[in-house]
Amino acid sequence: GTLGGLAIIEGGRVVRTIKQSNSKLSANWVTALAVQEGLLFIGTYGGGIDLLLPNGEIKSLSSEIGKFEVNLNAILVDGRFVYVGTLDVGLWVFDSKQNKWKNFRSGLPSQNIMSIARSGKHLFLATESGVARLEVKRFEN
């Protein structure tokens, strides 16, 4: 992920750059990447989340969850869930079992989620106002 799009690297060289001008990428600044079940989740600064599908196409999720800023490296995949930290709209969570996105804002010290980690049954969110510890089972319902 770069300021100018998604760089495809082969043999140590950039062979292609996917950007707004040549694809459906929502924003050129790619801030976070994560893979789950053959899909590349692309966090962007200003465009929200896009997916790189196995066929090479980009699918924007903005019609489902809107456009927002994904913080640098603030995507975590733990198997069932994809957690996305945003600049000002809290935590977005994708449940692959239900194929559904949910937004979580309550109970957080700040809506600016800068980093995400998981240990055992807990998810830790680093925010601009402190760290939140949430039980993962909260996202299962």
Side-chain angles (χ1 to χ4, degrees):
T2 74
L3 283 168
L6 182 66
I8 308 299
I9 300 171
E10 292 177 5
R13 299 181 63 127
V14 175
V15 295
R16 180 175 171 224
T17 302
I18 298 171
K19 49 192 171 184
Q20 287 179 291
S21 63
N22 65 9
S23 74
K24 294 181 181 178
L25 192 66
S26 297
N28 280 334
W29 188 1
V30 176
T31 56
L33 299 168
V35 176
Q36 184 197 48
E37 299 176 8
L39 298 174
L40 179 64
F41 287 77
I42 305 167
T44 70
Y45 201 82
I49 299 288
D50 292 335
L51 293 175
L52 177 60
L53 304 174
N55 66 5
E57 286 188 41
I58 298 284
K59 177 184 177 190
S60 171
L61 300 179
S62 63
S63 63
E64 283 180 60
I65 59 177
K67 291 186 176 190
F68 48 87
E69 289 77 27
V70 175
N71 279 323
L72 294 173
N73 297 314
I75 296 182
L76 175 72
V77 174
D78 74 357
R80 176 178 173 180
F81 298 104
V82 177
Y83 306 96
V84 179
T86 73
L87 178 64
D88 59 4
V89 292
L91 181 71
W92 276 101
V93 179
F94 178 70
D95 183 339
S96 63
K97 186 175 179 181
Q98 296 180 12
N99 196 33
K100 189 177 194 181
W101 285 93
K102 295 178 189 174
N103 184 243
F104 294 87
R105 295 183 188 203
S106 65
L108 302 176
S110 167
Q111 300 302 299
N112 185 358
I113 311 299
M114 299 179 293
S115 184
I116 307 167
R118 179 171 176 182
S119 179
K121 297 178 181 180
H122 292 98
L123 189 70
F124 296 88
L125 306 174
T127 78
E128 68 181 347
S129 299
V131 176
R133 184 181 84 167
L134 308 172
E135 290 190 34
V136 173
K137 69 179 181 180
R138 174 181 185 173
F139 306 108
E140 295 174 357
N141 300 326

